[in-house]
Amino acid sequence: MAGLRERGGSRIQRPWSVYRASTFELSNEMIGLALAGNSQDPDEPVLEFSVACTDLLTPALDRKPNSFVAVSCTTPPQAFWTKHAQTEVIEGTSNPIFLSSIAFFQDSNINQQTQVKLAVYDVKDRSQGTMYMLGSALFPVKELLQERSHRLDLELRSAENQRVGNVTIAAWQMEERQDQRMSVGRLPDSINGRTMLPVDESLAESMGVRIKYSSLCKDTLLRSVFGGTMSRMYRFPTTDGNHLRVLEQMAESVLSLNIPRQFVKLLLEEDASRVCELEELGELSPCWENLRRQIVSQYQTIILAYQETLTDLNDYRGPSFKASNLKAERKLEFMPTNLHVQRMRVQDELGFEHTYDVITIGAPAAHCQGFKNSGLRKLIQKFEEAKKHEYEEGCSALSSSQSIVYIPQDIVRAKEIIAHINTLKTQVSYYAERLSRAAKDRSASGLERTLAILADKTRQLVTVCDCKLLASAIQALNAARPEYIASKASPSADSEQVVLRNDQDTLLAKWSGRNSRSSLHADWHEEEWEKVWLNVDKSLECIIQRVDKLLQKERRPSVSSQDSSQMDLQGGATKKDDEKGGAFWINPGSQSQDSPSSQPPPSSSPPPSSSPPALSSAHPPSPEKESCEWSEALYPLLTTLTECVAMMSDTAKKSMVFLLMQDSAPTIAMDLSLQYRRDVVFCQTLTALICGFIIKLRNCLRDNGFLRQLYTIGLLAQFESLLSTYGEELAMLEDMSVGIMDLRNVTFKVTQATGSSAPDMLPIITGNRDGFNVRIPLPGTMFDALPREIQSGMLLRVQPVHFNVGINEQQTLAEKFGDTSLQEIINLESLSRLNSYYEQFKEVLPEDCLPRSRSQTCLPELLRFLGQNVHARKNKNVDILWQAAEICRRLNGVRFTSCKSAKDRTAMSVTLEQCLILQHEHGMAPQVFTQALDCMRSIGTREGVIQKNLSGLLPVRDFRLDPSLLYSLPLLALSPNLLVVWIFLSVAYFLAKLRCS
């Protein structure tokens, strides 16, 4: 038996599972140490053995059994058996060799007294779950460890104590990776005739340390994000006669709840701020005021919905994943469905570890809101058509006279202006404060450096505010004031007037007459706005000149009184020049300053107490006095600059808010309803993306090629979906595609965690719907391993792509009678983005950044094949999914797999991908491909997802069950749908027993 034979050659000391001694007996201390686990790899089992049966007998001699082995254990003083694991079903043979191994992990709490029971079952009808037990055998753990060959041959005995066959147990011996692994320089060119490709240097690092820290169970970062880990072990033969050791793991994430809580809170703050902006517009004429009230009322309704959702999320105390039967639960609609990380770790014959992760998630969609009115793509299209219709109506209504009509590009520009104003205003205030501090500290270098930044930010702000769109919006807001309407109450026949129309709840402002722009000059001169931002520019120039004089005097301390008098003269000249240049100085704190000829504000010259003549003393001033004089000389100028910037920013922002109010008024209800649905879908997608980013970053923490690629061109996120283009799933596909494309507005930033506890490692979201930033805290040791670019806070971008191929029976209907155009459009769009990403990679990065692969097909060829399949009209063309997945792995991307609920179809896709990787990248023998696939699908970790969704409980192996119920568990594991029947019958049985008692 190839799977159980002894390996030749000298053996290396084993750290945990089996210790070879000079005697047959091992001490209790050694056995205890063997069962304590491997400190170098917490995910490793403390005991692993394979099972094979021979000469199985069935009552019907003409039929060979379809057998599997159920493993139970008990540890004294426990008085009942606990189901631990089971093997896959192997059909039609009396000598089955099972590929799945039985593994006991550190949380199993086994010891040398633990008894293990092997029960062999014969499945008569797999579809119906009809089976019976052939026989069983028992052995203690201590006996297996003390056996020299670590192999036990036991007889299987039936319930009637008849011999029904033999079962062989062989413990696997796990060598130290560091001792087993050969150095890169000594790797042979070929092994058993098979060419070996060069190994990436990152694999030559201490694998024990790397795996210890990337464990889903023990790693400081990952265990704060993921939990509830399930593990399965397999041993698959390779084409060269060796074995692959495969550890399959699956874990859920606490981010399923944590991210929606943060996200909904940000949405609440954003919408509340919009209501405040509308309220801050000030007094408006009655018709505009009514319109504002209607918009605010709509916002308050949506804010109430977000508040209820946030309360529900904060009160939720269930598991950290949302089961598929809760997809349409209103309270949990922002949570992703069945979000898990699926991991496969492969150890090859050389001892190298390879890790493959896939994030699985139910299709991000607004299930609670239903799909009668289609999904997001069509809803967005309808909304844009409604906006276009409103725009055309507005243009036609005002075509008879000159008017201000805003095109869609103006709306986008207005949002950008508001964002820029908010950012630049804050930055100007910040650097003005820093400049004042530098003056107080009398730091010449700090003064120069800070002044350069302040000048740059202020000029950027002035440039943003100096645009025609802003000027026209200010005119429109001024025309909506009650005093403006009153001043135009009795116009002459030839005069120009403002006309406010209320047409189907849509207010439009127009200026009619011979010259519509001149009609505003009576109240709001166009020059007034120019003077506002010119004041900012002039204030900045005064600061620059004053700093120059102070620095010149610092460099020539011998000159005192002459410089002071010259400074006064030049300051006066500057005043005169400003007046000649038409500078209109506005003192925000005074309303009496109406003209340039009035008394200049403090910004034009410093107060008498801080004037330069005070420095013309016979004795050199002390450093404290000079420092105070610097601060006093700049303080009034900085105050004026800050106040002028605030006046300009507030005026500009209010006008832009008023512009957006006019634009959103006709379709506000549709807009907010659509936005709510989009928020729900995006939140689910964002949660999955954050999980994928964290686990990818952790796995590649020492991969310099990946890190360089990450901060240069961003992270590739490849979403694979298996939704049909028929019925409700078509609308789900629309939702999902929009949610994925919205991820382009997400950036990541890696920071150092402030503490070592789990909450300190959780990601933090900031931003708004225009762009979200996710801050990922890392422990200090991990953060220090990052390149300088990432440590400095560089924003890391995301490039999402999405490929969909429907594979179920509904897709057959869609291909025969429906429409598959949406799937084709999504795949074509993603193909274009994928090609663009690879072109960017080739332009700026070397091929060395990419992981090595045994595949003989290069990336350009893979992309060409993918393009051919995308353009080919072939039904259920799953080649698209396989090729896209391989390209993603070859480009250091993150993989996501989805179907409606992330159960059946997702399990089929994930297990198939795992087997393909094992065959193509690790040389798994082709003759066991089907058996390995069936093994992973029947008893792998994906079965745990089905169990959790059907029962809402922990995996079966964690139960503490009564022995009388043990017989039914293998049957349930084979056919999970029977779990419902089993629960129903059990409840009925207990109720009947209760009545009888």
Side-chain angles (χ1 to χ4, degrees):
M1 189 167 51
L4 303 174
R5 72 178 188 275
E6 288 286 340
R7 295 186 181 180
S10 61
R11 305 305 300 174
I12 305 172
Q13 182 183 5
R14 294 167 294 280
W16 60 272
S17 64
V18 178
Y19 285 83
R20 178 164 299 177
S22 59
T23 64
F24 288 95
E25 294 295 329
L26 292 179
S27 67
N28 292 338
E29 290 79 12
M30 291 294 286
I31 293 178
L33 179 62
L35 298 178
N38 183 5
S39 61
Q40 290 295 318
D41 193 346
D43 286 339
E44 293 290 347
V46 296
L47 177 65
E48 180 192 6
F49 59 84
S50 290
V51 181
C53 297
T54 56
D55 302 328
L56 293 180
L57 300 177
T58 59
L61 299 179
D62 59 339
R63 175 182 168 274
K64 293 184 178 180
N66 304 323
S67 57
F68 74 93
V69 179
V71 180
S72 306
C73 62
T74 181
T75 301
Q78 181 175 293
F80 52 86
W81 292 93
T82 301
K83 184 180 186 301
H84 178 74
Q86 73 177 48
T87 66
E88 73 276 16
V89 177
I90 297 182
E91 300 180 344
T93 179
S94 297
N95 302 296
I97 302 175
F98 299 99
L99 296 181
S100 60
S101 59
I102 307 302
F104 291 85
F105 294 88
Q106 295 183 24
D107 59 355
S108 301
N109 297 321
I110 64 170
N111 56 41
Q112 54 184 319
Q113 282 78 35
T114 299
Q115 295 283 330
V116 180
K117 177 181 179 181
L118 306 178
V120 181
Y121 287 83
D122 177 22
V123 183
K124 286 187 174 181
D125 187 345
R126 193 169 182 177
S127 61
Q128 298 296 326
T130 306
M131 67 180 69
Y132 67 95
M133 189 175 73
L134 284 175
S136 61
L138 290 98
F139 69 91
V141 171
K142 183 177 181 179
E143 181 181 348
L144 179 62
L145 295 180
Q146 288 180 336
E147 178 67 29
R148 176 182 290 276
S149 62
H150 317 298
R151 171 173 172 157
L152 299 176
D153 293 304
L154 306 175
E155 281 191 353
L156 288 171
R157 293 284 176 176
S158 65
E160 294 79 18
N161 200 28
Q162 298 293 322
R163 179 184 176 277
V164 292
N166 299 319
V167 60
T168 301
I169 302 99
W172 285 99
Q173 301 174 5
M174 310 301 297
E175 288 79 10
E176 286 266 17
R177 289 179 178 80
Q178 288 182 334
D179 296 335
Q180 185 188 36
R181 189 184 67 255
M182 291 179 286
S183 66
V184 178
R186 294 188 292 109
L187 282 176
D189 295 330
S190 63
I191 296 179
N192 296 335
R194 184 179 60 184
T195 302
M196 299 298 296
L197 294 176
V199 179
D200 186 17
E201 291 182 1
S202 62
L203 293 177
E205 298 174 2
S206 174
M207 296 299 296
V209 174
R210 291 187 63 191
I211 295 175
K212 176 183 178 182
Y213 289 127
S214 62
S215 163
L216 285 175
C217 303
K218 300 296 182 181
D219 178 67
T220 306
L221 175 64
L222 296 185
R223 72 181 178 184
S224 66
V225 177
F226 301 102
T229 305
M230 298 177 59
S231 301
R232 298 287 186 269
M233 298 292 300
Y234 311 97
R235 295 282 178 163
F236 298 137
T238 61
T239 54
D240 57 5
N242 291 311
H243 275 80
L244 292 174
R245 179 176 171 278
V246 179
L247 171 63
E248 184 187 31
Q249 293 182 304
M250 184 189 68
E252 56 198 49
S253 176
V254 299
L255 299 185
S256 295
L257 189 61
N258 178 271
I259 296 301
R261 285 173 176 169
Q262 294 188 56
F263 183 75
V264 174
K265 186 177 179 181
L266 288 176
L267 299 181
L268 262 174
E269 294 172 355
E270 181 179 354
D271 288 346
S273 67
R274 290 186 179 179
V275 172
C276 291
E277 290 172 352
L278 289 171
E279 298 288 355
E280 290 172 357
L281 285 178
E283 189 177 4
L284 299 175
S285 59
C287 52
W288 288 109
E289 181 62 29
N290 291 336
L291 184 65
R292 176 167 61 178
R293 289 295 102 204
Q294 294 175 15
I295 296 175
V296 169
S297 176
Q298 293 286 344
Y299 268 111
Q300 288 174 342
T301 301
I302 208 75
I303 287 174
L304 182 61
Y306 286 128
Q307 288 174 339
E308 293 176 354
T309 299
L310 185 59
T311 301
D312 293 333
L313 290 174
N314 289 330
D315 293 341
Y316 178 72
R317 295 296 180 269
S320 58
F321 79 101
K322 185 173 76 173
S324 59
N325 61 341
L326 298 176
K327 288 194 299 289
E329 179 67 32
R330 176 82 181 187
K331 296 179 179 180
L332 306 178
E333 61 179 334
F334 281 84
M335 289 179 62
T337 303
N338 275 329
L339 177 64
H340 291 86
V341 57
Q342 179 79 18
R343 165 171 286 191
M344 182 177 71
R345 279 176 47 189
V346 185
Q347 180 186 342
D348 57 22
E349 63 274 10
L350 298 177
F352 291 114
E353 289 276 0
H354 308 265
T355 303
Y356 304 90
D357 292 319
V358 178
I359 305 298
T360 60
I361 177 179
H367 296 274
C368 182
Q369 301 177 40
F371 305 100
K372 286 186 177 180
N373 298 321
S374 67
L376 273 175
R377 276 194 174 238
K378 287 186 179 178
L379 291 175
I380 291 174
Q381 184 180 357
K382 291 177 182 178
F383 176 73
E384 291 175 348
E385 290 174 355
K387 295 287 291 185
K388 183 179 179 182
H389 179 69
E390 271 316 311
Y391 171 72
E392 291 174 351
E393 277 194 350
C395 290
S396 61
L398 301 177
S399 58
S400 58
S401 60
Q402 299 179 359
S403 60
I404 297 178
V405 179
Y406 301 110
I407 60 177
Q409 290 81 355
D410 290 340
I411 307 306
V412 176
R413 178 60 180 155
K415 293 179 180 179
E416 293 176 351
I417 289 175
I418 291 177
H420 290 157
I421 288 174
N422 289 336
T423 301
L424 291 171
K425 177 185 176 183
T426 303
Q427 291 176 343
V428 168
S429 300
Y430 171 73
Y431 286 108
E433 177 64 26
R434 285 191 56 179
L435 188 67
S436 177
R437 193 178 306 119
K440 186 176 181 180
D441 297 339
R442 198 176 177 82
S443 171
S445 60
L447 209 60
E448 288 181 319
R449 187 169 56 251
T450 308
L451 178 62
I453 301 175
L454 176 64
D456 178 63
K457 298 299 181 183
T458 305
R459 285 164 182 157
Q460 288 183 35
L461 182 59
V462 170
T463 302
V464 168
C465 293
D466 182 18
C467 66
K468 293 182 179 179
L469 176 64
L470 199 52
S472 63
I474 291 173
Q475 294 175 1
L477 177 59
N478 186 65
R481 301 295 185 192
E483 57 270 18
Y484 187 90
I485 303 300
S487 65
K488 297 295 180 180
S490 303
S492 62
D494 296 332
S495 64
E496 296 151 354
Q497 58 183 325
V498 126
V499 179
L500 297 176
R501 296 178 60 251
N502 191 344
D503 184 11
Q504 297 178 351
D505 297 330
T506 303
L507 288 177
L508 299 171
K510 69 174 185 176
W511 288 265
S512 60
R514 290 167 297 182
N515 187 352
S516 62
R517 291 183 66 85
S518 63
S519 63
L520 288 176
H521 288 185
D523 296 272
W524 180 269
H525 298 281
E526 190 171 343
E527 291 81 2
E528 298 286 337
W529 171 241
E530 294 179 2
K531 291 175 181 178
V532 170
W533 57 262
L534 277 175
N535 280 339
V536 176
D537 198 35
K538 291 293 183 179
S539 298
L540 177 64
E541 290 181 8
C542 287
I543 294 174
I544 293 174
Q545 292 176 7
R546 182 56 55 89
V547 170
D548 286 342
K549 297 302 179 183
L550 293 175
L551 293 177
Q552 288 176 11
K553 185 177 180 181
E554 176 72 9
R555 297 186 185 101
R556 294 180 296 173
S558 58
V559 181
S560 58
S561 59
Q562 294 180 359
D563 284 350
S564 300
S565 60
Q566 288 178 3
M567 191 186 306
D568 286 339
L569 293 175
Q570 290 177 0
T574 301
K575 253 191 296 184
K576 294 179 182 179
D577 291 341
D578 291 343
E579 292 174 1
K580 290 179 181 178
F584 183 75
W585 292 99
I586 299 178
N587 184 1
S590 173
Q591 302 295 331
S592 61
Q593 189 171 345
D594 299 323
S595 66
S597 59
S598 61
Q599 184 178 356
S603 59
S604 59
S605 62
S609 61
S610 61
S611 60
L615 300 177
S616 56
S617 173
H619 302 282
S622 64
E624 293 80 2
K625 185 176 181 181
E626 290 182 352
S627 174
C628 182
E629 289 169 349
W630 276 27
S631 179
E632 291 178 351
L634 289 179
Y635 177 77
L637 300 180
L638 291 173
T639 301
T640 301
L641 174 66
T642 305
E643 292 175 346
C644 289
V645 164
M647 174 182 289
M648 179 183 68
S649 301
D650 293 345
T651 303
K653 185 177 178 180
K654 287 179 180 179
S655 64
M656 291 293 97
V657 170
F658 184 70
L659 185 153
L660 295 177
M661 187 185 81
Q662 297 176 66
D663 174 74
S664 63
T667 55
I668 184 63
M670 183 187 298
D671 187 8
L672 293 182
S673 175
L674 176 62
Q675 187 62 65
Y676 186 86
R677 186 185 190 100
R678 198 166 186 169
D679 291 339
V680 170
V681 175
F682 178 74
C683 183
Q684 299 174 20
T685 316
L686 176 64
T687 306
L689 176 67
I690 295 174
C691 288
F693 182 91
I694 290 175
I695 201 164
K696 182 67 176 179
L697 179 65
R698 181 62 192 89
N699 290 343
C700 300
L701 198 61
R702 303 181 189 276
D703 186 344
N704 295 327
F706 165 77
L707 296 174
R708 182 180 175 188
Q709 177 183 346
L710 179 63
Y711 69 74
T712 304
I713 62 174
L715 177 70
L716 176 65
Q718 188 250 325
F719 288 80
E720 167 191 302
S721 59
L722 306 166
L723 297 171
S724 67
T725 55
Y726 186 84
E728 286 190 349
E729 290 196 7
L730 177 62
M732 294 179 201
L733 183 58
E734 291 184 17
D735 280 359
M736 182 176 181
S737 64
V738 173
I740 291 172
M741 289 306 101
D742 285 345
L743 294 178
R744 290 176 293 183
N745 297 327
V746 177
T747 57
F748 287 88
K749 182 179 180 181
V750 183
T751 62
Q752 186 169 353
T754 57
S756 58
S757 61
D760 296 326
M761 306 294 172
L762 294 177
I764 300 173
I765 310 176
T766 56
N768 53 43
R769 293 183 180 95
D770 295 327
F772 289 95
N773 178 258
V774 184
R775 192 163 71 248
I776 307 295
L778 290 185
T781 54
M782 298 182 191
F783 185 78
D784 293 339
L786 295 172
R788 184 174 58 256
E789 290 82 357
I790 298 180
Q791 287 184 356
S792 63
M794 178 180 288
L795 297 182
L796 310 174
R797 296 170 292 163
V798 177
Q799 178 59 271
V801 294
H802 176 204
F803 292 93
N804 181 83
V805 175
I807 61 172
N808 63 355
E809 64 280 358
Q810 287 188 336
Q811 184 63 23
T812 305
L813 295 175
E815 290 165 349
K816 289 185 177 180
F817 310 108
D819 182 16
T820 62
S821 59
L822 176 61
Q823 175 176 287
E824 295 167 4
I825 292 172
I826 290 173
N827 291 342
L828 284 171
E829 291 174 350
S830 294
L831 175 65
S832 175
R833 283 190 293 272
L834 192 57
N835 282 318
S836 174
Y837 183 85
Y838 181 61
E839 291 299 323
Q840 291 180 52
F841 177 89
K842 291 193 301 182
E843 289 177 3
V844 297
L845 293 169
E847 292 289 334
D848 294 342
C849 291
L850 300 179
R852 302 297 179 93
S853 172
R854 290 190 179 188
S855 174
Q856 300 299 317
T857 308
C858 62
L859 266 172
E861 282 293 299
L862 277 175
L863 286 166
R864 185 173 66 84
F865 292 153
L866 178 61
Q868 291 174 355
N869 281 303
V870 168
H871 287 92
R873 293 183 173 273
K874 180 181 176 182
N875 294 342
K876 297 184 180 180
N877 190 358
V878 293
D879 289 342
I880 293 176
L881 302 180
W882 298 342
Q883 290 166 357
E886 183 174 357
I887 292 171
C888 175
R889 289 193 299 270
R890 299 272 290 272
L891 283 174
N892 276 323
V894 183
R895 291 264 298 114
F896 302 84
T897 299
S898 298
C899 64
K900 182 178 180 180
S901 301
K903 295 201 304 287
D904 300 330
R905 280 172 282 178
T906 298
M908 292 173 63
S909 174
V910 168
T911 51
L912 179 60
E913 180 180 353
Q914 290 179 168
C915 288
L916 288 172
I917 291 173
L918 291 173
Q919 185 175 28
H920 296 160
E921 297 291 340
H922 302 285
M924 185 179 72
Q927 59 268 24
V928 300
F929 183 90
T930 303
Q931 184 183 352
L933 182 61
D934 181 69
C935 178
M936 287 184 172
R937 287 179 175 176
S938 61
I939 64 163
T941 57
R942 298 309 303 180
E943 185 72 12
V945 176
I946 299 175
Q947 293 174 3
K948 289 196 293 184
N949 277 268
L950 291 178
S951 63
L953 300 175
L954 294 173
V956 172
R957 68 182 184 90
D958 291 331
F959 289 174
R960 297 288 185 254
L961 295 176
D962 186 272
S964 63
L965 301 178
L966 181 62
Y967 72 92
S968 62
L969 293 176
L971 182 145
L972 297 174
L974 279 175
S975 182
N977 292 332
L978 293 176
L979 182 61
V980 178
V981 178
W982 176 69
I983 293 175
F984 176 77
L985 293 177
S986 299
V987 171
Y989 170 76
F990 286 120
L991 289 177
K993 191 174 180 180
L994 183 62
R995 287 182 180 179
C996 292
S997 62

